[in-house]
Amino acid sequence: MTAVFPAAVNAHSHAFHRVLRGRTHAGSGNFWSWRDQMYGAADRLTPELYEQLATAVYAEMVVAGYTAVGEFHYLHHRPDGSRYPQHEMEFALARAARKAGIRLVLLDTCYLDGGFDLQRRDGRIPANPTQRRFSDGDAASWLARLAALRAAVAGEFDPEQVQVAAAIHSVRAVPPEQLRIIAAELDPELALHIHLSEQPRENADCLAATGMTPTGLLADSGLLGSRLSAVHATHLSAEDIGLLGAARATAVFCPTTEADLADGIGPAHELLAAGVQLALGSDQHAVVDPWLEMRSLEYGERLRSGIRGRFGPEQLLGFAHDGGLRSLGLPEYGDRVELDLDSVRTVGSAGDQLPMTATAADVLSVQVSGREIAAAGLHAELGDPAKLLSEAFAELEVL
């Protein structure tokens, strides 16, 4: 027996983080120590290597049941900070998505410096050597490059396959005056994503520097609105939740990553009650499995509240599909996933409770616009994603 569901939308992805899976767990640490290892991976990537790696990662997503992804992308330039002449890193991701058959919203990200530092005269930490390849210098330069990128992608790719939208890395990475420039000049039709209050230190630094929480700073800068997706939204005050709800923003939770990085459990239930829409992402790809993201969100709520059934299975499916489409500004395409009801995990499950029992291993078929692009763990064109990943890791010399 089988059942058909709307395909999942991965609303938050960093494709290159996939190389860190299973390699960052020795010893103790936190988000900040993990970030140093992530920077090491970022330093190695060329356009050619990134296309190879991203193709494998997107193929892994497809066979798991994702048919659209929001790629939160900030690896714009060469390691020394100099520009590639033709958007080479961005086009590497777009070609990878086209090969894998996944719909890509490239969330081109403004990332300018290293964060708040009240000990410095200008109050900011300069970009470190790795962050140089992320930075366009200022918001105006980022906006100009974003406009050029949108035109270049529109001239090369089918908009049902690849679109460009916008992201701000975080209030840590973009100074307040630059946030205001973005609010004034960014195309109001574009979806806009931001990492928000992922760590308590981000909140503390922002409060010390501006007297506002990160959410309050976004509101003060004119960036809160229904097009905004707040990624993680973990450490929020009641006032923050009210501001996001009044704006009818979206919160993108990445439960398996938030657990892996010891970020904390965000107030998903309170956000939804306040009027915030919810979506799901796999972020650093500690797991690529929409079913595990769905139930990890519910399990986090149970652990936080002591109450079962905070989100029903139908709601979880809605977050994974409808919420993701809304977050990325995508229409309904009718993409579908067929699930095995007779596996060792799903047999005996009530059909409406499969989000609490199924995994990506139970995906029998994935259809994009009615065309099957994956079946039983294999990509129709690319074959076994594990082989693709192994080849990419070998090229990156991480094995």
Side-chain angles (χ1 to χ4, degrees), residues 41 53 92 105 113 177 206 220 240 270 276 283 286 296 298 334 358 361 377 380 391 395:
L53 175 62
V105 177
D113 64 25
E177 70 276 8
C206 188
D220 183 71
D240 293 336
E270 291 88 339
V276 175
D283 193 358
S296 293
E298 167 62 12
E391 292 169 351
E395 289 294 325

Side-chain angles (χ1 to χ4, degrees), residues 274-348:
V276 175
Q277 304 296 312
L278 301 186
L280 293 168
S282 66
D283 193 358
Q284 60 137 337
H285 316 306
V287 173
V288 174
D289 188 326
W291 306 92
L292 292 183
E293 300 296 347
M294 285 183 241
R295 66 174 166 274
S296 293
L297 181 69
E298 167 62 12
Y299 285 164
E301 277 295 314
R302 293 182 185 190
L303 290 169
R304 205 169 62 88
S305 68
I307 301 170
R308 300 181 79 228
R310 297 280 275 181
F311 299 123
E314 187 173 353
Q315 279 183 297
L316 295 172
L317 287 165
F319 301 155
H321 179 76
D322 301 327
L325 292 177
R326 181 184 188 274
S327 173
L328 298 178
L330 293 175
E332 175 59 68
Y333 292 109
D335 298 341
R336 294 290 182 263
V337 169
E338 184 180 4
L339 204 66
D340 183 3
L341 300 186
D342 296 315
S343 79
V344 70
R345 291 162 296 276
T346 61
V347 66

Side-chain angles (χ1 to χ4, degrees), residues 9-318:
V9 176
N10 192 342
H12 188 69
S13 163
H14 298 288
F16 79 93
H17 290 189
R18 175 62 180 83
V19 302
L20 300 174
R21 184 194 295 176
R23 304 182 65 81
T24 63
H25 305 287
S28 62
N30 57 21
F31 168 85
W32 305 101
S33 56
W34 170 88
R35 188 178 72 160
D36 291 338
Q37 294 174 285
M38 179 269 287
Y39 283 162
D43 283 338
R44 302 178 188 180
L45 289 170
T46 63
E48 296 76 19
L49 286 175
Y50 205 11
E51 182 173 344
Q52 182 180 7
L53 175 62
T55 300
V57 174
Y58 293 155
E60 182 182 9
M61 288 184 198
V62 166
V63 301
Y66 290 112
T67 60
V69 59
E71 182 64 36
F72 199 103
H73 168 68
Y74 46 80
L75 291 176
H76 305 304
H77 309 305
R78 294 187 177 94
D80 64 1
S82 62
R83 289 198 171 196
Y84 289 105
Q86 300 294 330
H87 309 290
E88 276 84 346
M89 293 297 274
E90 291 75 22
F91 268 62
L93 289 166
R95 287 191 296 269
R98 185 163 61 185
K99 289 177 187 175
I102 198 168
R103 304 185 196 277
L104 172 68
V105 177
L106 184 64
L107 296 162
D108 194 85
T109 302
C110 184
Y111 192 137
L112 301 181
D113 64 25
F116 300 106
D117 185 353
L118 297 184
Q119 304 305 311
R120 297 180 60 87
R121 180 175 298 177
D122 62 0
R124 303 295 299 184
I125 302 171
N128 67 32
T130 297
Q131 291 167 338
R132 283 198 303 261
R133 77 179 306 183
F134 307 163
S135 179
D136 290 294
D138 56 34
S141 297
W142 171 69
L143 286 162
R145 187 180 54 73
L146 174 64
L149 174 64
R150 292 178 67 193
V153 167
E156 180 73 21
F157 295 91
D158 181 341
E160 289 197 7
Q161 182 72 70
V162 180
Q163 298 181 28
V164 177
I168 296 165
H169 180 271
S170 59
V171 299
R172 288 185 288 109
V174 180
E177 70 276 8
Q178 302 296 315
L179 293 175
R180 296 185 184 95
I181 292 170
I182 293 170
E185 299 185 17
L186 182 66
D187 183 343
E189 298 301 314
L190 284 184
L192 176 64
H193 287 219
I194 184 170
H195 294 129
L196 187 70
S197 291
E198 182 177 3
Q199 287 288 319
R201 180 171 135 190
E202 175 186 330
N203 290 355
D205 289 351
C206 188
L207 277 166
T210 69
M212 294 175 278
T213 65
T215 302
L217 180 57
L218 292 182
D220 183 71
S221 302
L223 286 165
L224 282 189
S226 59
R227 67 158 169 179
L228 183 75
S229 287
V231 180
H232 303 305
T234 308
H235 302 282
L236 301 178
S237 68
E239 183 179 1
D240 293 336
I241 292 170
L243 287 169
L244 290 164
R248 294 296 184 262
T250 297
V252 181
F253 282 85
C254 306
T256 61
T257 287
E258 289 146 11
D260 182 70
L261 298 183
D263 285 342
I265 300 172
H269 198 267
E270 291 88 339
L271 285 163
L272 187 67
V276 175
Q277 304 296 312
L278 301 186
L280 293 168
S282 66
D283 193 358
Q284 60 137 337
H285 316 306
V287 173
V288 174
D289 188 326
W291 306 92
L292 292 183
E293 300 296 347
M294 285 183 241
R295 66 174 166 274
S296 293
L297 181 69
E298 167 62 12
Y299 285 164
E301 277 295 314
R302 293 182 185 190
L303 290 169
R304 205 169 62 88
S305 68
I307 301 170
R308 300 181 79 228
R310 297 280 275 181
F311 299 123
E314 187 173 353
Q315 279 183 297
L316 295 172
L317 287 165

